[in-house]
Each structure stands twice: as C-alpha cells, then as structure tokens.
Amino acid sequence: MDFNIRWKKIEEVGQGGQGKVFRVIDRQKFTNADNIKSAIENLERSSEERFRDKFGEAIIDFVRRYDPTNQGALKILHEPEVPSDSELAAERIRREIEAMKNLSHPNLLKILDVDDESKWYVSQYYSRGTLANNLNLFQGKILKALNAFSSLVEAVSLIHESNKIHRDIKPQNIFLDTSGNLILGDFGLVFFTDEEHSRISERYENVGSRDWMPPWGYGARIEDLRPSFDLFCLGKVLWSMISGRSFLRLWDFMDDEFNLELKFPENRFMRLVNNLLSRCVVRREENCIFKDAEMFL
C-alpha cells in the first residue's frame, strides 16, 4: 500500500539506522494550501471581496496544515545495503508495529496508519518535539517532574506486563504533548521476552543506546535482559529532567559534577531524588532494587 494515497510529506524530521521519519498531513483532513501564494499575487487584480474570500480560504488551509489533529509522523524503512538483510529489517519493523498496536496507554505513542507489508507506518506527531529539547520545563522542579514521570512509568509498567522490554528509553525517544505529558515512542529495539517470539539476527539487535543503558547490558545476550534494563534508563531520564542536563556519566549521579543536592542546595527534597536514583541507577544489576516498572510506582 502506498502511503501517498492518504499522507502528504511536509518535511523530514529525523532518521536512524532503521529508517527516516517525516512530518506528514492527512490528505483526508485538509485541502491544498498552495493557493496562498497565488491569492496574494492576485491581490491587485481582484476585488477586495473576492480577494478576502480567497485569502480566507487559503489561511484556513494553511492552519489545517499545522493543526496537530491533521498530522502524523511517517517512518519509512531503509532499504538494507545487503539484500539478504531485507527480511530481517522487515521483521524488526513488524515487531515495532506489533508492540505499538498491541499496547494502549495515553503515554505510549499510537499508530495511526500502517502498511500491509510493514514497510512504513504513521504514528502521532508531536510539534513540541522531544524531552531532550525541553529539559528546561522540569529543571529544579521536583513535583512537576515526578508528576510527568509517574505517568511515563505507568506506561513502561504496561510494557513489562506484556512481556516486553523497551531497551531504548531516553529523552530523545520521549515526546511532549501540548499539555506537557511525556509520550514514550520508538519501539525499534523492543524485545519480546515470551517464548513465542524468537530472536532475530544480531545485526538488527543492538542492545540499547550507549549513554543511557545499564553497564550490565554491555556485551549481554538479548535474551538475558530483564525489565531492570529499562529501570536504569528511567532513573537517568528522571535525573536529566530535574537537572536540566542531557548527559549523566555512567551511574555517577552522586559525583559533585552531577549531584542534584549540590546543584540545588536550597531544595532539601533533592536528597529524596538521590535516594530514588540509588535504587536503580547502579553499576550492578543485583543492586537494582526495582525489578520492574511497577515497583517504581
């Protein structure tokens, strides 16, 4: 199925190893806004009333183009450089689509449309971008950060209850809606822990993102990972939200450079945040007190 039947590309908004992402608008919900330029050019040749009508229609169409309810994020699968990897790449995006379609939560990215052959899909589009670009919203604001964070944890808990591990939780994969709620997306590395889903080639099974994954994930076999992997990532996301910074070295949140109590000495509750981080942002998995996201709640 051709995505062009329903969706019109507006601009490229990102790309990764698996594919490119475009902002698109739903052809079923808007009319062509290209007549704005011609309407302006015809100002001198048109009567005031005629121009007002045309210009008004053009503005309406222009607004529709940027109305969030008309937009989506189109992800298109790259063609693999090695032809033999084509099926493996398709299998990975099929898993991503399956995970997103079968999980329903306000803080999880939703699919709006999908290709029958799993070569592309359209998900919700968030014009505010990702948490990585909006860290100032929560900097030093514990209650605001924890309120937004708790809903995100609920979403991750649902993932774990469904025998899945996200494996790529980081600010770059968390979107903000118009109300400031956190929406977890990018299920490209999701791993099914139940026996019905066999592992695919290591070429397409990177464990996670280096700066956000737990140390026990380095060199680990995919099938040996547990939900605690995501808990480490969540802890670093919380630190990033409150610190307003995009990088925490390893598990060093108590070092002077990263310590929230030193950064916000006037806020006595930062000690409680550090205590929370000590339960999940740890060097060894056995020291991670939280075993799944539900224990965070």
Side-chain angles (χ1 to χ4, degrees):
M1 180 173 60
D2 186 357
F3 65 82
N4 286 298
I5 295 175
R6 177 177 175 183
W7 303 95
K8 178 180 180 179
K9 287 183 185 178
I10 299 300
E11 61 181 340
E12 182 178 330
V13 294
Q15 66 174 307
Q18 190 180 7
K20 289 186 176 182
V21 179
F22 299 86
R23 181 170 71 89
V24 293
I25 49 178
D26 192 340
R27 295 179 184 276
Q28 299 175 2
K29 294 183 179 180
F30 86 104
T31 56
N32 199 325
D34 294 337
N35 59 337
I36 294 178
K37 182 178 180 180
S38 61
I40 295 175
E41 292 174 345
N42 291 332
L43 174 60
E44 295 182 355
R45 298 193 301 270
S46 305
S47 66
E48 181 179 350
E49 182 178 357
R50 180 184 175 192
F51 172 75
R52 185 170 59 248
D53 291 342
K54 284 192 173 183
F55 189 73
E57 292 173 2
I59 291 299
I60 291 173
D61 288 339
F62 182 78
V63 170
R64 285 174 178 169
R65 178 180 286 244
Y66 292 96
D67 183 345
T69 62
N70 296 338
Q71 298 182 64
L74 168 68
K75 183 172 184 177
I76 304 176
L77 184 66
H78 285 316
E79 286 294 332
E81 295 181 3
V82 181
S84 61
D85 289 335
S86 179
E87 180 56 34
L88 296 175
E91 173 62 20
R92 179 168 168 180
I93 198 170
R94 277 197 293 269
R95 289 186 177 204
E96 182 175 3
I97 291 171
E98 179 182 347
M100 295 173 68
K101 288 177 66 176
N102 294 335
L103 293 171
S104 178
H105 190 278
N107 297 84
L108 292 179
L109 194 64
K110 295 180 178 62
I111 282 187
L112 305 178
D113 195 11
V114 64
D115 175 32
D116 295 334
E117 299 180 359
S118 298
K119 292 185 178 180
W120 60 265
Y121 69 81
V122 176
S123 62
Q124 291 172 304
Y125 175 77
Y126 294 97
S127 59
R128 296 184 69 177
T130 68
L131 176 60
N133 302 122
N134 292 274
L135 290 175
N136 61 304
L137 293 177
F138 303 98
Q139 185 175 13
K141 303 172 183 176
I142 292 181
L143 292 180
K144 183 176 181 179
L146 288 176
N147 184 53
F149 183 74
S150 63
S151 297
L152 179 66
V153 173
E154 288 180 3
V156 177
S157 179
L158 177 62
I159 294 174
H160 293 167
E161 290 174 4
S162 304
N163 296 313
K164 301 176 183 67
I165 303 172
H166 188 281
R167 292 197 295 136
D168 204 16
I169 300 174
K170 57 185 179 181
Q172 294 86 344
N173 288 339
I174 299 171
F175 302 94
L176 267 80
D177 68 10
T178 54
S179 300
N181 298 308
L182 304 180
I183 312 296
L184 179 60
D186 201 336
F187 285 69
L189 293 184
V190 70
F191 175 66
F192 294 80
T193 60
D194 58 301
E195 296 180 355
E196 295 181 2
H197 293 81
S198 60
R199 182 183 177 191
I200 58 178
S201 169
E202 291 184 359
R203 181 185 297 274
Y204 286 91
E205 284 294 303
N206 299 316
V207 173
S209 295
R210 183 191 63 184
D211 290 337
W212 297 92
M213 62 184 287
W216 62 82
Y218 289 91
R221 297 187 306 170
I222 304 298
E223 56 266 35
D224 290 338
L225 299 181
R226 288 177 283 274
S228 56
F229 187 103
D230 286 344
L231 275 294
F232 181 96
C233 301
L234 280 172
K236 295 192 77 166
V237 166
L238 179 61
W239 176 89
S240 188
M241 292 172 66
I242 296 178
S243 70
R245 298 176 61 184
S246 59
F247 174 74
L248 168 61
R249 184 181 60 231
L250 302 173
W251 51 89
D252 297 338
F253 65 91
M254 288 299 292
D255 283 11
D256 290 353
E257 181 182 356
F258 306 106
N259 194 326
L260 295 175
E261 292 182 69
L262 297 180
K263 182 175 177 61
F264 304 99
E266 74 288 351
N267 193 327
R268 57 191 177 89
F269 293 108
M270 289 297 172
R271 178 175 298 181
L272 299 178
V273 178
N274 276 345
N275 182 58
L276 178 62
L277 297 179
S278 70
R279 299 168 183 261
C280 55
V281 184
V282 293
R283 181 177 182 181
R284 301 184 184 281
E285 185 176 16
E286 57 265 28
N287 294 329
C288 183
I289 296 176
F290 300 131
K291 303 306 178 185
D292 56 45
E294 187 175 5
M295 297 182 69
F296 240 124
L297 301 174

